Amino acid sequence: MLDKKDLGGIVKSTGLVFGDIGTSPIYTLTVIFLITAATPSNVMGVLSLIVWTLVILVTIEYSWLAMNLGKKGEGGTIVLKELLVPLIKSSKKVMIVTILSYIGISFLVGDGIITPAISILSAVEGIRIIPGLQFIEQETLMLIAGIIAVGLFSFQNKGTEKIAWIFGPLMVLWFLAIATSGIISIIYTPSVLKAINPYYAIDFLLHNGWAGFFVLSEVILCATGGEALYADMGHLGREPILKAWRLVFVALLLAYLGQGAFLIRNPDSRNILYEMIFQQAHFLYVPFLVLSIVATVIASQAMISGMFSIAYQAIMTRIAPLLKIDYTSDVIRSQIYISVVNWLLLIAVLFAIFEFRESSRLAAAYGLTVTGTMVITGIMMTFIYYFKKEVVKTVISMCVTYVAMIFLISNTYKLSHGGYWSLFIAVLCFSMIMIYTTGQKRLYQALIPVPLKDFLERYDLTYASVTKINGTALFFAKEVSSIPQYIVHTMFDNGIIYMDNILVTITIHDNPFGVESSFKEKIANGLKVFKINMGYMEVINLGQILKTAGINEKTIFYGVEDIVTDNPAWKVFSIMKKVSPSFVQFHKLSEDRVHGVVTRVEM
């Protein structure tokens, strides 16, 4: 029996995790049968493929294999990397795994941009089923979808804390609606239940050759959003998501089988879900259409929140530059808003809507990066289970990865149909990560940090001989063993030394959560070290941590690099550094106390 807490977790998971995969029935079968004849044998074959895609790539890959590989309850590509790296001894293999994780993150971004566009546009196109509106211009539908998208993204800086509670109940209503409709349709054509037998999927592929193989590139649409089960594990917990998936899985099966039954009876149908609902209960069609649009908005909201979360993880793990972050909740610190990410996403979504024009054309471009993410997840899981010597899970993970690779190969067909768009976004994202991470290493080497021993020799002499300024000065360093050049310039070249000087170091550790801070031993007269250890998913209030530790600084010094270069890649890196907020701005430290120390660097 489910208690009240379990039920609450399931409802909340339904709203925050399953929006994307839950709205796939709006367009999946419609798109598949635009390129495939709607014969009874083809319908049965496609339904069987959908059933087993949901079983293999969502239930087995994500809800079982991946969700058994959490780290302190957290999931996602970065977590898989953090789990795999300690198991590998070779530095070369560590580099390969790191690059794989970067590609996985980039694929998620490429996939995330198309999700709101296809979800909202496909729902809005249901307006055409309303009597009298069947000839409405596509441009009008695009405009409506665009207005909904603009409204959704404009609302992000207000936060979703006050209305998020309603997402779950609305998505539960959505799943009940499509499941009930499916059951009603199945009653008239119960033979579709035989599609659960994988024989029909295999028979379809064998009898349709290459055409059947490329149909897989559209079948994968039923599993888009499956990765959210694992990625959102840290927000809601493993058990509520798994329990919710069991119910959502049944609802999706009933919805797809019901649509298949309707299509067998109405092979000329061109918008299967909406035409089925209209035929079953035309007086409820408009409320259902409104519900479907709301469901796609909720799905898009989950994607936007996911993009904010990915961006924050990337910043904290130092694979992306610092970005301005606003906290939209006083209670839940992880409720964040990143304006740059928000508006770039909106521009990309609007471009996708107005470039592809129709949801069917968007579907033709959708899936390449999704399957890429599934393959990378599969590869990393296989190696983790292999190193852990879990033979059964290793073999099953290899088989699942092989299936994901088949889907990925079939999706290369989409490159010439707009698939290049999401791939281009992914490549752009990956390039930015590589330029930034490599640039940071080069910059660190070019700045030539001073070993602590050498620094302390000069510090002791200077501290004893110069007139000191009353008060406390804060300096930030990556690690205490190597002192940044800007501190050397401030203290020794400019002779600015306070009575009390504190070196603050922030270390991001492998676990997603946990924050510890403390003073270390005094390393010299007037010089102390304050160390902060934090998980890469933690959202900290640095000013509050310093205040709690009793630090009342008079001045905060931080380094600013003036990069001089002729290399195009480093010029891009220089621009990224210039447009991103400084460390002290990122952590919202008191601006009237901060002083940037410029160091000219040639790269």
Side-chain angles (χ1 to χ4, degrees):
M1 290 289 292
L2 292 173
D3 59 27
K4 193 174 180 181
K5 185 179 179 182
D6 285 339
L7 189 60
I10 290 170
V11 171
K12 194 173 182 182
S13 297
T14 305
L16 296 179
V17 178
F18 298 108
D20 189 0
I21 198 169
T23 52
S24 295
I26 295 174
Y27 50 82
T28 299
L29 279 174
T30 294
V31 168
I32 291 172
F33 287 101
L34 285 176
I35 61 171
T36 309
T39 63
S41 61
N42 281 351
V43 172
M44 292 296 287
V46 167
L47 287 177
S48 189
L49 283 169
I50 287 173
V51 170
W52 286 95
T53 299
L54 289 172
V55 169
I56 295 169
L57 294 184
V58 183
T59 304
I60 296 177
E61 179 170 13
Y62 285 109
S63 79
W64 181 45
L65 292 172
M67 291 184 77
N68 275 315
L69 291 175
K71 191 166 188 181
K72 290 221 173 163
E74 191 67 31
T77 305
I78 292 177
V79 168
L80 287 177
K81 177 204 156 198
E82 299 295 346
L83 288 170
L84 186 52
V85 166
L87 301 173
I88 300 172
K89 295 174 183 176
S90 163
S91 57
K92 188 176 181 181
K93 289 178 182 175
V94 168
M95 177 59 71
I96 292 170
V97 169
T98 301
I99 290 174
L100 260 183
S101 70
Y102 293 167
I103 295 171
I105 292 165
S106 303
F107 277 162
L108 279 172
V109 175
D111 163 37
I113 282 165
I114 291 185
T115 298
I118 191 172
S119 298
I120 295 171
L121 188 56
S122 63
V124 168
E125 285 173 348
I127 291 173
R128 281 211 173 107
I129 309 299
I130 300 172
L133 294 176
Q134 56 266 47
F135 300 113
I136 190 171
E137 295 290 336
Q138 186 64 29
E139 286 76 11
T140 305
L141 298 177
M142 289 158 51
L143 183 61
I144 294 170
I147 290 169
I148 292 171
V150 170
L152 175 64
F153 281 91
S154 299
F155 183 75
Q156 293 305 307
N157 64 334
K158 308 294 182 188
T160 58
E161 183 189 1
K162 292 177 182 176
I163 62 166
W165 64 271
I166 204 171
F167 290 173
L170 284 171
M171 287 308 298
V172 168
L173 182 60
W174 166 254
F175 285 117
L176 283 172
I178 61 174
T180 304
S181 171
I183 291 169
I184 293 169
S185 184
I186 291 168
I187 289 170
Y188 292 101
T189 315
S191 59
V192 293
L193 292 171
K194 292 188 290 186
I196 294 172
N197 188 337
Y199 161 80
Y200 291 95
I202 296 167
D203 183 67
F204 176 84
L205 292 174
L206 291 176
H207 282 85
N208 286 277
W210 284 108
F213 175 72
F214 287 120
V215 165
L216 291 176
S217 68
E218 306 298 352
V219 170
I220 194 63
L221 295 174
C222 74
T224 56
E227 68 281 354
L229 273 78
Y230 185 47
D232 290 340
M233 195 166 72
H235 299 294
L236 299 160
R238 180 174 178 270
E239 286 306 311
I241 292 175
L242 286 179
K243 288 173 181 175
W245 170 241
R246 289 168 198 147
L247 300 174
V248 169
F249 177 66
V250 172
L252 290 174
L253 285 190
L254 291 171
Y256 283 117
L257 292 172
Q259 287 186 50
F262 176 80
L263 189 60
I264 288 173
R265 299 191 303 272
N266 303 272
D268 295 328
S269 176
R270 286 292 171 265
N271 198 331
I272 301 168
L273 175 63
Y274 289 128
E275 289 180 23
M276 181 174 74
I277 298 292
F278 187 79
Q279 189 181 99
Q280 289 173 345
H282 61 86
F283 58 93
L284 289 175
Y285 181 73
V286 173
F288 178 82
L289 177 62
V290 172
L291 178 63
S292 69
I293 293 173
V294 170
T296 58
V297 168
I298 292 171
S300 302
Q301 176 59 55
M303 184 283 300
I304 296 167
S305 298
M307 289 296 110
F308 290 160
S309 181
I310 289 171
Y312 187 77
Q313 284 185 42
I315 291 168
M316 288 296 99
T317 50
R318 294 174 178 149
I319 65 173
L322 299 177
L323 299 171
K324 184 177 181 290
I325 294 176
D326 294 309
Y327 304 101
T328 59
S329 170
D330 295 327
V331 179
I332 308 171
R333 187 74 177 163
S334 59
Q335 291 270 337
I336 59 174
Y337 168 73
I338 306 176
S339 59
V340 173
V341 173
N342 187 66
W343 298 119
L344 286 177
L345 275 175
L346 174 60
I347 291 167
V349 167
L350 290 177
F351 176 83
I353 289 172
F354 289 97
E355 172 67 19
F356 289 94
R357 299 176 61 83
E358 298 174 6
S359 62
S360 58
R361 290 178 64 190
L362 270 166
Y366 195 26
L368 188 61
T369 51
V370 176
T371 48
T373 302
M374 290 174 173
V375 169
I376 288 170
T377 299
I379 291 170
M380 296 174 85
M381 285 193 311
T382 301
F383 279 107
I384 291 169
Y385 282 124
Y386 171 76
F387 286 122
K388 287 186 170 186
K389 295 183 168 52
E390 296 188 39
V391 179
V392 174
K393 287 181 180 177
T394 302
V395 173
I396 294 173
S397 188
M398 283 177 66
C399 294
V400 167
T401 305
Y402 177 71
V403 171
M405 282 181 176
I406 291 173
F407 275 98
L408 177 61
I409 294 167
S410 75
N411 270 272
T412 56
Y413 157 80
K414 292 187 173 182
L415 279 171
S416 59
H417 293 82
Y420 61 85
W421 166 239
S422 57
L423 193 63
F424 169 75
I425 296 295
V427 169
L428 186 65
C429 183
F430 178 73
S431 301
M432 292 296 102
I433 290 173
M434 292 305 296
I435 288 172
Y436 185 76
T437 51
T438 310
Q440 284 289 83
K441 289 176 186 174
R442 285 285 192 97
L443 181 62
Y444 187 71
Q445 293 166 356
L447 286 169
I448 316 173
V450 178
L452 180 62
K453 185 181 176 183
D454 297 342
F455 172 80
L456 289 177
E457 287 177 3
R458 290 187 67 183
Y459 173 84
D460 287 335
L461 289 171
T462 309
Y463 190 82
S465 59
V466 302
T467 303
K468 292 170 279 296
I469 303 169
N470 286 327
T472 301
L474 291 188
F475 299 88
F476 292 94
K478 191 175 180 181
E479 50 191 357
V480 182
S481 58
S482 301
I483 306 300
Q485 282 287 347
Y486 86 90
I487 299 178
V488 174
H489 293 324
T490 303
M491 290 186 172
F492 308 146
D493 298 342
N494 299 325
I496 300 172
I497 294 190
Y498 281 69
M499 289 293 293
D500 292 304
N501 303 277
I502 301 174
L503 294 178
V504 180
T505 67
I506 300 177
T507 303
I508 311 294
H509 55 67
D510 293 341
N511 290 319
F513 297 106
V515 180
E516 296 175 350
S517 60
S518 62
F519 277 105
K520 299 303 170 185
E521 68 279 357
K522 192 175 180 181
I523 57 175
N525 284 332
L527 184 62
K528 293 184 286 188
V529 175
F530 185 72
K531 192 171 181 62
I532 300 171
N533 289 307
M534 60 177 284
Y536 59 82
M537 281 292 291
E538 284 288 355
V539 181
I540 64 168
N541 185 334
L542 182 56
Q544 187 61 47
I545 291 173
L546 296 173
K547 187 176 180 181
T548 303
I551 298 172
N552 185 24
E553 73 283 351
K554 188 174 182 180
T555 307
I556 301 171
F557 291 99
Y558 67 97
V560 179
E561 298 83 16
D562 179 21
I563 299 169
V564 180
T565 182
D566 293 322
N567 186 304
W570 301 149
K571 282 185 178 179
V572 172
F573 174 68
S574 175
I575 292 169
M576 291 167 78
K577 294 286 284 185
K578 283 177 181 175
V579 299
S580 62
S582 67
F583 179 85
V584 293
Q585 289 171 327
F586 176 77
H587 284 289
K588 294 182 168 57
L589 297 178
S590 181
E591 291 187 8
D592 59 344
R593 299 178 187 178
V594 301
H595 293 278
V597 181
V598 179
T599 304
R600 191 177 178 84
V601 186
E602 290 191 16
M603 289 178 66

